[in-house]
PDB file of all heavy atoms in Angstrom:
ATOM      1  N   THR A 157       3.114  -2.215  24.908  1.00  0.00           N
ATOM      2  CA  THR A 157       3.095  -1.097  23.958  1.00  0.00           C
ATOM      3  C   THR A 157       4.462  -0.428  23.999  1.00  0.00           C
ATOM      4  O   THR A 157       5.062  -0.283  25.073  1.00  0.00           O
ATOM      5  CB  THR A 157       1.959  -0.097  24.259  1.00  0.00           C
ATOM      6  OG1 THR A 157       1.886   0.868  23.214  1.00  0.00           O
ATOM      7  CG2 THR A 157       2.183   0.615  25.598  1.00  0.00           C
ATOM      8  N   GLU A 158       4.968  -0.065  22.841  1.00  0.00           N
ATOM      9  CA  GLU A 158       6.347   0.451  22.760  1.00  0.00           C
ATOM     10  C   GLU A 158       6.401   1.922  23.137  1.00  0.00           C
ATOM     11  O   GLU A 158       5.541   2.724  22.737  1.00  0.00           O
ATOM     12  CB  GLU A 158       6.870   0.253  21.348  1.00  0.00           C
ATOM     13  CG  GLU A 158       8.359   0.488  21.201  1.00  0.00           C
ATOM     14  CD  GLU A 158       8.813   0.360  19.753  1.00  0.00           C
ATOM     15  OE1 GLU A 158       7.955   0.250  18.868  1.00  0.00           O
ATOM     16  OE2 GLU A 158      10.039   0.399  19.537  1.00  0.00           O
ATOM     17  N   TYR A 159       7.426   2.289  23.871  1.00  0.00           N
ATOM     18  CA  TYR A 159       7.613   3.666  24.328  1.00  0.00           C
ATOM     19  C   TYR A 159       7.629   4.656  23.162  1.00  0.00           C
ATOM     20  O   TYR A 159       6.996   5.721  23.221  1.00  0.00           O
ATOM     21  CB  TYR A 159       8.926   3.741  25.128  1.00  0.00           C
ATOM     22  CG  TYR A 159       9.392   5.157  25.435  1.00  0.00           C
ATOM     23  CD1 TYR A 159       8.793   5.912  26.433  1.00  0.00           C
ATOM     24  CD2 TYR A 159      10.467   5.724  24.728  1.00  0.00           C
ATOM     25  CE1 TYR A 159       9.213   7.196  26.719  1.00  0.00           C
ATOM     26  CE2 TYR A 159      10.901   7.008  25.014  1.00  0.00           C
ATOM     27  CZ  TYR A 159      10.287   7.741  26.002  1.00  0.00           C
ATOM     28  OH  TYR A 159      10.716   9.017  26.282  1.00  0.00           O
ATOM     29  N   GLN A 160       8.351   4.317  22.093  1.00  0.00           N
ATOM     30  CA  GLN A 160       8.494   5.241  20.972  1.00  0.00           C
ATOM     31  C   GLN A 160       7.251   5.258  20.081  1.00  0.00           C
ATOM     32  O   GLN A 160       7.034   6.207  19.332  1.00  0.00           O
ATOM     33  CB  GLN A 160       9.719   4.856  20.111  1.00  0.00           C
ATOM     34  CG  GLN A 160      11.049   5.082  20.807  1.00  0.00           C
ATOM     35  CD  GLN A 160      11.425   6.550  20.886  1.00  0.00           C
ATOM     36  OE1 GLN A 160      10.717   7.439  20.406  1.00  0.00           O
ATOM     37  NE2 GLN A 160      12.563   6.836  21.516  1.00  0.00           N
ATOM     38  N   ARG A 161       6.420   4.197  20.137  1.00  0.00           N
ATOM     39  CA  ARG A 161       5.259   4.086  19.276  1.00  0.00           C
ATOM     40  C   ARG A 161       4.070   3.559  20.077  1.00  0.00           C
ATOM     41  O   ARG A 161       3.593   2.452  19.846  1.00  0.00           O
ATOM     42  CB  ARG A 161       5.556   3.145  18.095  1.00  0.00           C
ATOM     43  CG  ARG A 161       6.678   3.641  17.207  1.00  0.00           C
ATOM     44  CD  ARG A 161       7.160   2.560  16.257  1.00  0.00           C
ATOM     45  NE  ARG A 161       8.260   3.011  15.417  1.00  0.00           N
ATOM     46  CZ  ARG A 161       9.524   3.059  15.793  1.00  0.00           C
ATOM     47  NH1 ARG A 161       9.861   2.651  17.014  1.00  0.00           N
ATOM     48  NH2 ARG A 161      10.479   3.495  14.997  1.00  0.00           N
ATOM     49  N   PRO A 162       3.585   4.318  21.056  1.00  0.00           N
ATOM     50  CA  PRO A 162       2.488   3.842  21.904  1.00  0.00           C
ATOM     51  C   PRO A 162       1.192   3.670  21.117  1.00  0.00           C
ATOM     52  O   PRO A 162       0.946   4.396  20.134  1.00  0.00           O
ATOM     53  CB  PRO A 162       2.359   4.945  22.954  1.00  0.00           C
ATOM     54  CG  PRO A 162       2.913   6.173  22.289  1.00  0.00           C
ATOM     55  CD  PRO A 162       4.003   5.707  21.391  1.00  0.00           C
ATOM     56  N   PHE A 163       0.375   2.733  21.519  1.00  0.00           N
ATOM     57  CA  PHE A 163      -0.841   2.434  20.781  1.00  0.00           C
ATOM     58  C   PHE A 163      -1.782   3.634  20.719  1.00  0.00           C
ATOM     59  O   PHE A 163      -2.546   3.805  19.761  1.00  0.00           O
ATOM     60  CB  PHE A 163      -1.574   1.221  21.373  1.00  0.00           C
ATOM     61  CG  PHE A 163      -2.248   1.477  22.703  1.00  0.00           C
ATOM     62  CD1 PHE A 163      -3.512   2.040  22.779  1.00  0.00           C
ATOM     63  CD2 PHE A 163      -1.600   1.137  23.898  1.00  0.00           C
ATOM     64  CE1 PHE A 163      -4.136   2.267  23.997  1.00  0.00           C
ATOM     65  CE2 PHE A 163      -2.213   1.360  25.119  1.00  0.00           C
ATOM     66  CZ  PHE A 163      -3.492   1.932  25.180  1.00  0.00           C
ATOM     67  N   TYR A 164      -1.738   4.517  21.730  1.00  0.00           N
ATOM     68  CA  TYR A 164      -2.656   5.643  21.757  1.00  0.00           C
ATOM     69  C   TYR A 164      -2.294   6.740  20.740  1.00  0.00           C
ATOM     70  O   TYR A 164      -3.051   7.678  20.536  1.00  0.00           O
ATOM     71  CB  TYR A 164      -2.768   6.246  23.155  1.00  0.00           C
ATOM     72  CG  TYR A 164      -1.451   6.660  23.786  1.00  0.00           C
ATOM     73  CD1 TYR A 164      -0.758   7.807  23.377  1.00  0.00           C
ATOM     74  CD2 TYR A 164      -0.897   5.929  24.849  1.00  0.00           C
ATOM     75  CE1 TYR A 164       0.417   8.191  23.967  1.00  0.00           C
ATOM     76  CE2 TYR A 164       0.293   6.304  25.433  1.00  0.00           C
ATOM     77  CZ  TYR A 164       0.951   7.426  25.000  1.00  0.00           C
ATOM     78  OH  TYR A 164       2.129   7.823  25.578  1.00  0.00           O
ATOM     79  N   SER A 165      -1.152   6.600  20.073  1.00  0.00           N
ATOM     80  CA  SER A 165      -0.766   7.550  19.019  1.00  0.00           C
ATOM     81  C   SER A 165      -0.824   6.889  17.636  1.00  0.00           C
ATOM     82  O   SER A 165      -0.353   7.489  16.669  1.00  0.00           O
ATOM     83  CB  SER A 165       0.649   8.074  19.283  1.00  0.00           C
ATOM     84  OG  SER A 165       0.718   8.778  20.495  1.00  0.00           O
ATOM     85  N   ASP A 166      -1.386   5.714  17.557  1.00  0.00           N
ATOM     86  CA  ASP A 166      -1.357   4.954  16.299  1.00  0.00           C
ATOM     87  C   ASP A 166      -2.777   4.801  15.754  1.00  0.00           C
ATOM     88  O   ASP A 166      -3.757   5.119  16.425  1.00  0.00           O
ATOM     89  CB  ASP A 166      -0.722   3.588  16.561  1.00  0.00           C
ATOM     90  CG  ASP A 166      -0.083   2.989  15.320  1.00  0.00           C
ATOM     91  OD1 ASP A 166      -0.348   3.484  14.209  1.00  0.00           O
ATOM     92  OD2 ASP A 166       0.694   2.024  15.457  1.00  0.00           O
ATOM     93  N   HIS A 167      -2.850   4.316  14.507  1.00  0.00           N
ATOM     94  CA  HIS A 167      -4.127   4.056  13.846  1.00  0.00           C
ATOM     95  C   HIS A 167      -4.218   2.580  13.477  1.00  0.00           C
ATOM     96  O   HIS A 167      -3.207   1.876  13.404  1.00  0.00           O
ATOM     97  CB  HIS A 167      -4.274   4.898  12.573  1.00  0.00           C
ATOM     98  CG  HIS A 167      -4.237   6.372  12.809  1.00  0.00           C
ATOM     99  ND1 HIS A 167      -5.298   7.065  13.347  1.00  0.00           N
ATOM    100  CD2 HIS A 167      -3.250   7.285  12.608  1.00  0.00           C
ATOM    101  CE1 HIS A 167      -4.965   8.360  13.441  1.00  0.00           C
ATOM    102  NE2 HIS A 167      -3.748   8.507  13.017  1.00  0.00           N
ATOM    103  N   VAL A 168      -5.436   2.139  13.216  1.00  0.00           N
ATOM    104  CA  VAL A 168      -5.664   0.769  12.786  1.00  0.00           C
ATOM    105  C   VAL A 168      -5.155   0.590  11.360  1.00  0.00           C
ATOM    106  O   VAL A 168      -5.151   1.534  10.547  1.00  0.00           O
ATOM    107  CB  VAL A 168      -7.164   0.423  12.904  1.00  0.00           C
ATOM    108  CG1 VAL A 168      -7.481  -0.960  12.333  1.00  0.00           C
ATOM    109  CG2 VAL A 168      -7.626   0.517  14.353  1.00  0.00           C
TER     110      VAL A 168
END
Side-chain angles (χ1 to χ4, degrees):
T157 187
E158 192 184 8
Y159 169 76
Q160 292 285 359
R161 298 167 182 81
F163 72 84
Y164 55 74
S165 297
D166 207 345
H167 299 284
V168 175

